Amino acid sequence: MLKPHYPIITERLLLRPFTPDDLDAVNAYESRPDVARYLYWKPRDRDTSATFLDKKTTRTALHDEGDALDLAVTLRDTGDLIGSCLLIWTSRQHRQGELGYILHPDHHGHGYATEASRAMLRLGFADLGLHRITGRLDALNTASARVLEKLGMRREATLIDNEFVKGAWASEAIYAILETEWTP
């Protein structure tokens, strides 16, 4: 079980639970076609973002496998919400988890996804005691692949046309890192 102390502080970011007041900032990136391009969902209208935000506000601790930490990524100096990061506890028996992140495109290219994800890896390995953490992404999403590689994750597989997403077949890249390979 893992109940982090919030906020989680990194060099430039604060990771904290979402609140209902985050709706405008969340919808600002969830409504964008360039954000939804490699995700399972289409750009979200405000009501749909609100529905999913309600769920995000409850995802603040890992009590058992299947639970997720879904945290707001905010800039330390301004408090602006720029995205989200996610850690899912996928297996208690096999001590496995999965990492995810979404950033507003205005904040791409600054290392924020890598910085937030490093904090999530620390939670998974050091605090929850996971053995292995994966990252799954659309195989065409080369920018996200670079983030995972910067974290020390290796590409273990490309599953060709394994999912039918938004009316087309999509290939999925699987990245992973073991607890013994992770460096805090």
Side-chain angles (χ1 to χ4, degrees):
M1 186 167 89
L2 174 63
K3 290 183 178 180
H5 297 288
Y6 296 110
I8 297 164
I9 301 169
T10 70
E11 182 182 343
R12 301 173 296 162
L13 304 171
L14 293 176
L15 310 180
R16 60 161 176 81
F18 280 97
T19 71
D21 292 336
D22 293 327
L23 179 56
D24 289 337
V26 169
N27 187 244
Y29 62 84
E30 286 189 348
S31 64
R32 295 177 60 122
D34 54 345
V35 169
R37 177 179 179 193
Y38 296 119
L39 301 173
Y40 291 109
W41 36 270
K42 293 181 180 179
R44 293 178 172 162
D45 61 29
R46 185 176 173 78
D47 289 341
T48 304
S49 285
T51 298
F52 281 93
L53 179 59
D54 285 344
K55 183 177 181 179
K56 289 175 187 289
T57 62
T58 67
R59 298 172 89 178
T60 61
L62 300 174
H63 299 285
D64 204 352
E65 68 179 60
D67 289 347
L69 292 177
D70 200 346
L71 303 178
V73 177
T74 65
L75 297 175
R76 275 182 69 175
D77 59 350
T78 65
D80 292 343
L81 190 152
I82 63 168
S84 66
C85 57
L86 178 76
L87 178 65
I88 305 168
W89 189 3
T90 57
S91 174
R92 177 188 289 272
Q93 177 183 356
H94 302 293
R95 295 176 39 215
Q96 294 195 28
E98 181 179 333
L99 176 72
Y101 43 84
I102 301 172
L103 285 186
H104 191 291
D106 290 352
H107 300 281
H108 287 178
H110 301 287
Y112 295 135
T114 304
E115 189 172 327
S117 295
R118 270 199 190 100
M120 299 306 269
L121 287 176
R122 183 186 54 72
L123 289 172
F125 288 131
D127 297 351
L128 188 58
L130 295 179
H131 170 69
R132 173 184 167 88
I133 297 176
T134 61
R136 300 179 314 120
L137 59 143
D138 187 303
L140 297 175
N141 191 345
T142 57
S144 189
R146 283 192 301 275
V147 169
L148 297 178
E149 291 164 0
K150 287 177 189 173
L151 293 169
M153 299 177 88
R154 84 184 137 279
R155 189 175 188 134
E156 292 189 336
T158 301
L159 308 177
I160 306 299
D161 287 356
N162 71 310
E163 295 180 311
F164 198 71
V165 180
K166 300 177 194 166
W169 287 105
S171 297
E172 181 179 29
I174 310 292
Y175 282 76
I177 186 170
L178 298 176
E179 170 185 31
T180 55
E181 299 167 325
W182 170 68
T183 53

